[in-house]
Structures are given as C-alpha cells and as structure tokens.
Amino acid sequence: GAVVSQHPSWVICKSGTSVKIECRSLDFQATTMFWYRQFPKQSLMLMATSNEGSKATYEQGVEKDKFLINHASLTLSTLTVTSAHPEDSSFYICSAIIREGSNQPQHFGDGTRLSIL
Amino acid sequence: GEDVEQSLFLSVREGDSSVINCTYTDSSSTYLYWYKQEPGAGLQLLTYIFSNMDMKQDQRLTVLLNKKDKHLSLRIADTQTGDSAIYFCAGGGIGFKTIFGAGTRLFVKA
C-alpha cells in the first residue's frame, strides 16, 4: 500500500534554532501533500497544502515566514520551522495523496514530535 | 464552513461491539474516512466509504452512512484491548482538504 515516511520522528532543540521535517512518499508520486499540527488531545489542524513545483497554500492564521514549506519533487515535501520557540512545540504530521484522479484518500506519516527548550 | 462532529469518549468491554458515531455538514464530500491514531503515532487509515454507498464491511469493521441525516458510524465487532486508540472521522474529496472531527477516544476494558 501507499507509504509515507516522515523524518525525524522526534526533535529536541534550543529556542531560536530552525528545524526541518521531511515527508516522503515511498512507493507513489504525490502531487499534493498536507502539513498538520496536532496539540495534545486535540484534532489535526491543517497548516498548509503543498503542491509539487508551486508555492504552498497556507491556512488562515499560519505564518508563512515561520513555517516554510518546499515541495521540490513528487516524492518529497519539507517543513522548516524557523527560529523555533517553545510555543512551536507540537506534533507535526504530513500526509500525501496520489495523483489526482486515482480515487485514493490521504496517507499519513507517523508524525514528528517537536520539543523546543 | 464544513464541520465534523463526534463524541469524545467511548468505553466498552473486551469482546463487545463498539459503535463510534460522527455527523458532518458538508454534503459534497466525495469520501468519508475513519482513521485510527495510537499514542505518539500518526494516523492509520482504517477504512473509507464513497458517498454513494450505504454500507461497507471489512472484517471486524462496518461503516454505515446515512446521507440524509449526514451521519456516519464505525462499528468494531469483538473489540479487543489493541483497539484502544483515538478514532477520527473525516470528510473530503479528491485533492480537496480533509476536515477531521475532534476524535473519539476508545477505551477497551479487559
């Protein structure tokens, strides 16, 4: 089946550093990937929609300069949390869909737990 | 805007059936999904139903869709302790945003 790999699974870093999270589709090409943020005991909050070869579409309230998204190929999207602060600590999850028209739902990575000290 | 609502908690005994309910507002959703999330992990797609179907069965899982009432349910037969997790109901179409419910936390008592 469709597999999405997310790396790293856990990051602990100091306040002010930038952190890059990778999302890869392993056995399919993903024209569209999604980035979500999940707070403890809450649902997923969509941050942005990432389309290969074009700029990401951010949801209202999500800072574009804070959360940089790059989707350079059909199998890789990256989320960079720039100048991270403790309030950015969260669980970040990516998902991908196969090429449009394939009638498949989103496939999720295992998530990245980000802790900013 | 679109909204998906589900109850927050459900507790059942091992061996019983679990029924998790969900209501949604966007009738244009092409697909409706059920995802499972275990602690510290991402979401695992359990099953999904196309909007023109009423029912889908997959081993212990049965999905019922009532389009008129915009109601979706997931029934887990012979619930096991390993089924304890958070279950998310979600609606969406091909290439469209997926709207998630808040998740139902299922507790299975041995």
Side-chain angles (χ1 to χ4, degrees):
Chain A
V3 177
V4 175
S5 172
Q6 193 172 335
H7 177 82
S9 56
W10 200 351
V11 179
I12 302 175
C13 60
K14 292 181 181 178
S15 184
T17 57
S18 293
V19 179
K20 181 185 280 189
I21 302 169
E22 293 186 348
C23 181
R24 293 181 184 271
S25 56
L26 296 186
D27 52 359
F28 66 98
Q29 292 180 319
T31 52
T32 303
M33 291 183 171
F34 302 90
W35 286 97
Y36 294 87
R37 185 172 180 178
Q38 186 180 32
F39 293 100
K41 299 184 180 179
Q42 294 189 29
S43 188
L44 280 72
M45 180 190 80
L46 179 65
M47 298 174 66
T49 302
S50 169
N51 292 297
E52 184 266 337
S54 63
K55 290 183 180 179
T57 302
Y58 289 81
E59 294 300 301
Q60 193 171 9
V62 178
E63 297 177 61
K64 299 178 184 181
D65 296 331
K66 176 74 169 177
F67 300 100
L68 300 179
I69 291 172
N70 183 277
H71 194 155
S73 76
L74 285 170
T75 59
L76 174 65
S77 176
T78 60
L79 167 67
T80 301
V81 183
T82 61
S83 186
H85 291 286
E87 58 266 29
D88 299 322
S89 298
S90 192
F91 192 55
Y92 293 88
I93 310 176
C94 72
S95 71
I97 58 173
I98 301 174
R99 287 180 183 272
E100 267 191 84
S102 62
N103 296 325
Q104 294 295 321
Q106 292 183 33
H107 301 274
F108 285 82
D110 282 337
T112 297
R113 188 163 302 282
L114 176 62
S115 296
I116 308 297
L117 305 177
Chain B
E2 305 93 330
D3 193 22
V4 176
E5 292 189 359
Q6 47 184 131
S7 52
L8 295 181
F9 299 100
L10 176 65
S11 179
V12 300
R13 288 185 184 161
E14 191 174 24
D16 288 350
S17 292
S18 306
V19 179
I20 302 171
N21 295 301
C22 169
T23 57
Y24 60 96
T25 58
D26 185 3
S27 58
S28 66
S29 292
T30 309
Y31 298 98
L32 293 146
Y33 311 109
W34 284 104
Y35 288 90
K36 176 184 181 183
Q37 185 179 34
E38 299 190 25
L43 275 66
Q44 172 196 355
L45 177 66
L46 280 181
T47 185
Y48 63 95
I49 189 168
F50 195 55
S51 58
N52 68 353
M53 298 169 64
D54 298 324
M55 186 187 87
K56 181 179 180 181
Q57 186 157 3
D58 183 3
Q59 299 182 333
R60 292 192 297 124
L61 305 178
T62 303
V63 179
L64 294 177
L65 175 60
N66 182 326
K67 283 195 73 176
K68 175 175 171 287
D69 295 337
K70 296 181 185 174
H71 182 266
L72 182 74
S73 68
L74 173 69
R75 179 177 179 270
I76 305 173
D78 187 25
T79 312
Q80 302 297 307
T81 54
D83 294 324
S84 293
I86 303 173
Y87 291 81
F88 290 96
C89 166
I94 300 171
F96 299 155
K97 286 192 290 187
T98 298
I99 307 300
F100 290 84
T104 298
R105 196 174 293 269
L106 174 65
F107 297 96
V108 182
K109 296 176 284 188

